[in-house]
Amino acid sequence: ILLWTAIGDRYEGRDYVLRRLKLRTTASRVEAEIRRTFPSANITLIKGGGGVFDVHLEGALLYSKQTIHCGQFPAEGVVTRLLQTALDD
């Protein structure tokens, strides 16, 4: 499972710090949720740029803040439900 999180460098001052904190907090929360639900999961956090927050499972994109979910971070439980659905198929 890849959690691709990125912090864009286009922000300055307080906005940049708040966005950076939100990305880190969200990534940590999603990672913890995945570890609770799938204890043996191999999770890799990848740092990038441009405000990206994507989740991949074995190469398949399951969640993308920018391209699929209209700029929204995942609500609690969304990523684990997507993972469970993908694993059940």
Side-chain angles (χ1 to χ4, degrees):
I1 300 168
L2 296 178
L3 287 179
W4 185 285
T5 63
I7 299 162
D9 55 4
R10 64 182 178 216
Y11 305 106
E12 296 178 8
R14 183 182 158 109
D15 285 345
Y16 175 75
V17 172
L18 292 176
R19 288 179 188 272
R20 209 170 137 186
L21 180 60
K22 176 127 177 121
L23 279 166
R24 284 186 185 160
T25 302
T26 302
S28 296
R29 176 184 52 81
V30 171
E31 181 183 16
E33 288 175 17
I34 293 169
R35 289 195 189 285
R36 276 193 308 273
T37 307
F38 306 99
S40 62
N42 181 12
I43 300 170
T44 304
L45 295 173
I46 301 172
K47 209 172 177 184
V52 172
F53 190 93
D54 292 347
V55 179
H56 298 260
L57 175 65
E58 297 175 357
L61 180 64
L62 296 182
Y63 187 95
S64 175
K65 182 184 109 184
Q66 292 186 323
T67 61
I68 299 173
H69 294 91
C70 303
Q72 299 297 312
F73 286 102
E76 191 168 330
V78 168
V79 171
T80 53
R81 283 193 298 275
L82 290 170
L83 287 168
Q84 190 63 60
T85 299
L87 292 170
D88 288 344
D89 287 342

